[in-house]
Structures are given as C-alpha cells and as structure tokens.
Amino acid sequence: MASVSKVSILDYFNIVFEGENGKIESNCKACGTRIQAKRSVTSNFVTHLKVLISEAIAKMIVRDLQPVSIVENQGFRELLQLLEPRYTPEPQHYIQSQLLPAYAYQAQLATRQALASAHALSLSLDLWRGLSGVTSGYLGVTCHFLTSEWQMRSALLACLPLTGGSSGNRILSEFDEVCHSHGVSGRAFRVVADPLLPTRASGKPCCLPGFLLSPPLGNGQDGNDEEEVDSSNDVEQGIRNGHGDAGEEGEWEYTWEQGLGVSRVDCFSRSLEQCVREGLRSCPQLSSTLAKAACFYNYITSAVPPEKLSQVFDGPGLMMGGQGNFPEAAQDWAAQLKVLRRLLDSVDFLEEMSGPGELGLGGTERALLREFTDTLEPFTEAWDMVHGDRQADAQTDRHVSISLALPCVLGLRKHLSETSTPHCPSLVVGLSQAVERLLAPILENPLYITATTLDPQFKLTWSSNPDWHRQVIIEEVSKHSTASSPVNLNTDLHPQSHTPPAPAPSPISSLSRPCKLFSFIKQRPTTQAKSLEQELAIYLREEPTDEEALHYWRRKAIDFPLLAQVAKRAFTIPVCGTVVESIFTTAGRFLLPERGCVLPKNLETLIYLKANYRLLWT
C-alpha cells in the first residue's frame, strides 16, 4: 500500500549515477526514462510520475472505451488515493479536450509519415449504423500499406461520426476528404467495401441461434436472452426493418459502385459469414435444436465442477466459466461451433456429470447437430485461416491477403458437392446457393486468380485449366506494370515519393577497358531483361514453397521485377475484416443505451486511438 510517509518517490526509480552536491541520475522503473535532479529537490521525479499515471489512465480509457467522466467518479479517485496519494487525477475536461486530442494528433503524424514512403496500399471502409440520437453511426477508413522493408502495416486513418441524414454521396465525400488529408488520394490499389455495407446493421455478428447471450446490463442484471435466440437473422432483419427497403439498398449499391468503381472489392470474410447466415436460415428446424443445445451447455456450466469441464472445454475461448458467461472469443458462429463440437464429443460424459434432466439431448437431436457441425467444419477452417488467433494477434499487425480466398472457395464447393445431410438437406442447399452467389465469382476474377498464383504456396497447383489461367495472369499483370520500363522496387511507386540517390558504381565497373588484374576471375554473363511471359514461366517452374509471400517477393524482386510489382500491390488487400470493424462489433454489444450504457461523447476519438494503439504505445 502506497503512503507518503512510507514510500519515497525515489523508490520508483533506479539510481544510475550520483555526483557532487546530491546530483543524481535515475531511470524510471516503469518506462526507462532518465531523470536528473537532486536528492533534496525531487519535483522532477514527482512530475514524471504524475505524467506516467495520467498516460496510464488515458490508455485504460482508450482500451476499454470508457467515458472520460470515470476520472470524476468518487470510487475511482479513492482507489488512486490509496495507490499513490501524491497523485491528483487530471480533470475530465483536460483529458477530453487536450490529452486525448494530443494523442490523436501524434497518431495522425505517425500515420502520414509512414504513408509517405509506402510502396503500395489498399483501403477498407467500415460502417457502424443503427444508433439513435444525433450520431447515427460511424465511418472507419483503414489503410493497409507495404513499407519500404516489405512489411505490412495497417492504420485507422479516421473514425468519423455520421448524422441521421448521411447519404451515400455524403459518406463517399467524407471518404475522399480523409484520403486527401492523408496523401493517399489516387494511390489505393483497391478499396474493400461491400455493396450493401451501408445498409447493414453493424455490431451484430452471425451467431448460432440461442448461443449469443446478452451481456449484463449496466445495473448488473442479466439481459433478456430471448431477444437474441434467433440471432442469425438479426442483420437481415436490420436491413428490412431498421435500415431501409429494397429501394434504399439499390440506391446505396448504385452510389457505392459509382463512387468507388472498379477499385472496389468485397470483404471475403463478410461474404463467408453471410453464407453461413443464409445457410442457417435455410434450415429452420435447426433453430430449436441449437437453442436446446445452448440451454444444455448453460446448464452444465453451472452444474458441473470447473475442473471436470476443463477436461472437455480446454481450448482458448471454449471455457466459458459459468452460466451465460460467454467471452468475446465465443461471440461469433465459428467459436460457438467449436463449443458445440466439443459438447457433442463428450455429451455422455457431461450428462453423467450433470445428472439426469429434461435438457439432455436425444439421439435424433445429436445426429442433427453432428450433421450440422460436420457440414460447417470447412467453413470454420476457412474462417480461422483468414482471422487467425484473434486473441494472440490483438497487438500485432497480422495481415492475411486475398490470395487465400480462391483456394477457400474451391474447397468449400468441393466439400458441399460431396456432403449428404439426410437430417437437414436444406442446409447444404442453402449453403451451396449462398456460396455460388457470393463467393463463386471469385473463381473467375482476374485479381483473385493473379493474387493466388503469385502466392508461392499455391502458384497454379489449384488450377484445372493452367493454360487459360496463365493467360489471365499475363493480361492482369500487364495492366499494372510497364514491361519496357520496370519500376525500381527499391523506390516508391508514386510520383510524390522521394527517389533515393543512385548507389556509387564499383571501382572495377568504372574502368574503360577490361581489367587485367582480375582476368583470372570468370566473367559474369550479361543479364537481359526478361519478358512478362518469361518471368511467369520461370516462376511457375519452381516448386511451391511455404515461405511467407512478402518475404518471398522481397527476395525474388530482382529475378521477377514485373511480377513482384503486382504482387506487392495485390497482397495489400486484406481477406478479413479490420481492427475498427472488431471495435464496432464490441461497442455494438456493450455500449448501447438499452444495455444501460451511455455512449461516450468523444467515442470517435476513443475508437481512433484504440485502433491505433500499437502506433502510439508499443
């Protein structure tokens, strides 16, 4: 317990040098900053400690999307007084009007500096709609860019509040302003934005019926579980009932296509999720059985000792820790499906541990659920591939490119064509129709064909018609490269970039005639520029490799300059959602008025800082 009388301010620092007249130099134990002062005058140490605590409070507010007013709460102040009596919290207005905007300004400067030297970039648009009040939602613009070191980075460029009258043209106008202010106008290779994204009720992921439980209300009471029993229909209901009719959808789609043109691509993970959602709707008899399985799960988590449950639900995000206590990792259909599969694998053991009851699953119900989990297993595998370990990757710039999309679609089509579901035949039909409508066009899209082929782990091993796909790739690469004058891959691709000075020539190469001194050395053959067709042929002759794509192309840029020029652009397109999309989803669950919560006044600033947390504080 901290106390002014018992804890010296110097206990927070390591003294590294002590000179005459009591002068000392110390390193802060928390951040490593070196502070100079006298032992008798410790104001420098106290000031540094106060700044450090203020920054820690700001980080907490940002990471947890807390209202800034928390610093005025009596309980919060009493806790700080107990931990460090010398510290007085900054007032709410200072944090809201000065501290957080200052952090946002730092993030903007760092982002603009990084983008100025980016080799290639793509953008993503995310919308959170359906809020009540003056602010009807938020627009997030994320940039995915390749650094000069061939490292992928992502940064949220802006999070803008939308008013109730924000039209498609207005949102596109705001998007253009963000691009212009960050110097990326005309530089984006592609823009990831679904055609119906503006009319979707963001914040509610696809979930198995009965498995998404309402988070606790602000007063500590449980929410009404019944309102989300059939949560697989929430988004579609939002489109039909809360966000416009078919006419509005058509208007949005037209505006989206006109404003973004051919540069727009759909988000693969959202399309994949929509396929699962439509598959669930196609088989109504699943809803009641899944709801019963969810009830059984909630029952056993309250009746079976935790040490016994851990034998079944031992994976990350699978152990819920009590009735109705679903962690964030299990708030989407894929994580819930894993829970359901573990439950089915050990259902006899769990029923024996929990005792007889009406919530037990019968033989027919088990068969139906087993059929359901087996049918959706490849969808779960595809979902995991594009999202990875979201808990482990929360603080990393994990980027999965669109090269993964085409093989996933081929695998899903093959799986569905070979799957028989006698207990729920409409499930396979619904999934197949959704895949053909939403994902199958990828198989003939030149951009996806090129991106997958330029991924060294795939090349053309997936193709049933390699000759035709080679021609598609040549035509696509030709659009984005200049065969007669290949771009130097060690410089920026954009005219506003600064070209580095040319390296000094070798002393040997500057001689006007052959060097007699080194005549014993075998002369290097003269290299001639290869055509695009030659580059592709040589590249495809090499065996596929598990080497990470960007690492491979950084190493091979000299051998295949034309292909590398396109690869570096194509791999900036993400196959999954963005950090801000995840933040929108979290905020949509926990920051709604009906949950007893109040939206922070500066929520857009908090979202911006939370999405760019690594840029500022890691």
Side-chain angles (χ1 to χ4, degrees), residues 400-434:
V400 182
S401 78
I402 61 168
S403 64
L404 199 62
L406 188 148
C408 284
V409 177
L410 289 173
L412 292 175
R413 289 179 101 191
K414 180 177 184 296
H415 166 71
L416 292 174
S417 67
E418 298 172 349
T419 299
S420 173
T421 53
H423 291 89
C424 51
S426 58
L427 176 64
V428 172
V429 174
L431 288 171
S432 298
Q433 291 176 348

Side-chain angles (χ1 to χ4, degrees), residues 548-580:
E548 197 274 329
L550 287 177
H551 184 274
Y552 173 89
W553 283 108
R554 180 183 185 181
R555 184 170 58 82
K556 288 287 190 174
I558 296 178
D559 298 329
F560 309 122
L562 300 176
L563 295 179
Q565 184 179 340
V566 177
K568 69 193 308 183
R569 296 181 181 182
F571 292 147
T572 62
I573 308 172
V575 74
C576 61
T578 61
V579 171
V580 74

Side-chain angles (χ1 to χ4, degrees), residues 297-349:
Y297 174 81
N298 292 330
Y299 171 70
I300 62 173
T301 54
S302 63
V304 178
E307 59 272 14
K308 297 293 185 180
L309 280 180
S310 62
Q311 300 177 25
V312 178
F313 304 105
D314 58 350
L318 298 179
M319 187 63 189
M320 307 308 178
Q323 183 176 4
N325 184 20
F326 278 68
E328 185 162 339
Q331 291 285 357
D332 63 55
W333 64 271
Q336 293 160 5
L337 195 70
K338 294 174 185 176
V339 171
L340 179 60
R341 178 175 288 277
R342 293 292 184 92
L343 185 149
L344 291 174
D345 289 341
S346 305
V347 64
D348 293 330
F349 168 75

Side-chain angles (χ1 to χ4, degrees), residues 184-497:
V184 297
S185 294
R187 295 176 58 187
F189 181 61
R190 289 292 186 273
V191 179
V192 181
D194 292 347
L196 295 182
L197 180 61
T199 61
R200 295 195 188 281
S202 298
K204 288 189 176 182
C206 173
C207 297
L208 303 187
F211 273 78
L212 179 59
L213 302 183
S214 304
L217 296 177
N219 57 10
Q221 299 176 355
D222 291 334
N224 181 10
D225 297 345
E226 295 180 0
E227 66 180 277
E228 297 188 42
V229 168
D230 193 7
S231 54
S232 64
N233 292 328
D234 283 344
V235 171
E236 292 303 314
Q237 288 297 112
I239 293 175
R240 291 195 295 269
N241 301 331
H243 301 280
D245 53 20
E248 183 184 358
E249 289 184 18
E251 179 184 351
W252 269 106
E253 185 170 3
Y254 176 78
T255 303
W256 227 229
E257 292 293 344
Q258 290 295 311
L260 299 177
V262 295
S263 66
R264 187 193 66 77
V265 295
D266 292 343
C267 176
F268 174 77
S269 68
R270 293 185 194 133
S271 298
L272 180 67
E273 183 181 58
Q274 183 64 17
C275 289
V276 174
R277 181 180 288 111
E278 293 185 12
L280 288 170
R281 283 206 312 271
S282 69
C283 192
Q285 66 266 35
L286 272 172
S287 295
S288 58
T289 307
L290 285 169
K292 184 175 180 180
C295 290
F296 176 62
Y297 174 81
N298 292 330
Y299 171 70
I300 62 173
T301 54
S302 63
V304 178
E307 59 272 14
K308 297 293 185 180
L309 280 180
S310 62
Q311 300 177 25
V312 178
F313 304 105
D314 58 350
L318 298 179
M319 187 63 189
M320 307 308 178
Q323 183 176 4
N325 184 20
F326 278 68
E328 185 162 339
Q331 291 285 357
D332 63 55
W333 64 271
Q336 293 160 5
L337 195 70
K338 294 174 185 176
V339 171
L340 179 60
R341 178 175 288 277
R342 293 292 184 92
L343 185 149
L344 291 174
D345 289 341
S346 305
V347 64
D348 293 330
F349 168 75
L350 293 172
E351 287 183 344
E352 180 182 348
M353 292 300 303
S354 61
E358 297 181 357
L359 293 177
L361 298 173
T364 303
E365 292 168 330
R366 296 186 192 185
L368 176 62
L369 292 174
R370 178 64 69 182
E371 205 170 81
F372 170 70
T373 56
D374 290 344
T375 302
L376 283 186
E377 184 176 7
F379 287 83
T380 308
E381 293 172 348
W383 183 265
D384 288 343
M385 286 180 187
V386 301
H387 286 89
D389 186 347
R390 281 162 288 181
Q391 298 295 319
D393 296 325
Q395 297 301 316
T396 64
D397 264 323
R398 186 179 188 273
H399 178 88
V400 182
S401 78
I402 61 168
S403 64
L404 199 62
L406 188 148
C408 284
V409 177
L410 289 173
L412 292 175
R413 289 179 101 191
K414 180 177 184 296
H415 166 71
L416 292 174
S417 67
E418 298 172 349
T419 299
S420 173
T421 53
H423 291 89
C424 51
S426 58
L427 176 64
V428 172
V429 174
L431 288 171
S432 298
Q433 291 176 348
V435 167
E436 292 304 312
R437 181 171 59 86
L438 297 172
L439 299 180
I442 287 175
L443 302 178
E444 297 181 1
N445 188 310
L447 174 63
Y448 287 88
I449 293 172
T450 301
T452 302
T453 304
L454 293 182
D455 190 326
Q457 68 175 316
F458 297 123
K459 297 196 174 183
L460 279 177
T461 56
W462 53 271
S463 174
S464 59
N465 191 349
D467 292 338
W468 180 73
H469 284 131
R470 281 193 188 92
Q471 188 59 39
V472 170
I473 296 164
I474 290 173
E475 293 176 1
E476 183 69 11
V477 173
S478 298
K479 296 178 185 177
H480 307 292
S481 62
T482 305
S484 59
S485 180
V487 175
N488 184 351
L489 295 176
N490 292 318
T491 65
D492 194 2
L493 293 175
H494 310 291
Q496 59 265 48
S497 304

Side-chain angles (χ1 to χ4, degrees), residues 11-24:
D11 289 339
Y12 295 101
F13 299 85
N14 289 319
I15 299 177
V16 296
F17 174 78
E18 192 163 0
E20 298 179 355
N21 300 324
K23 292 182 179 180
I24 58 174

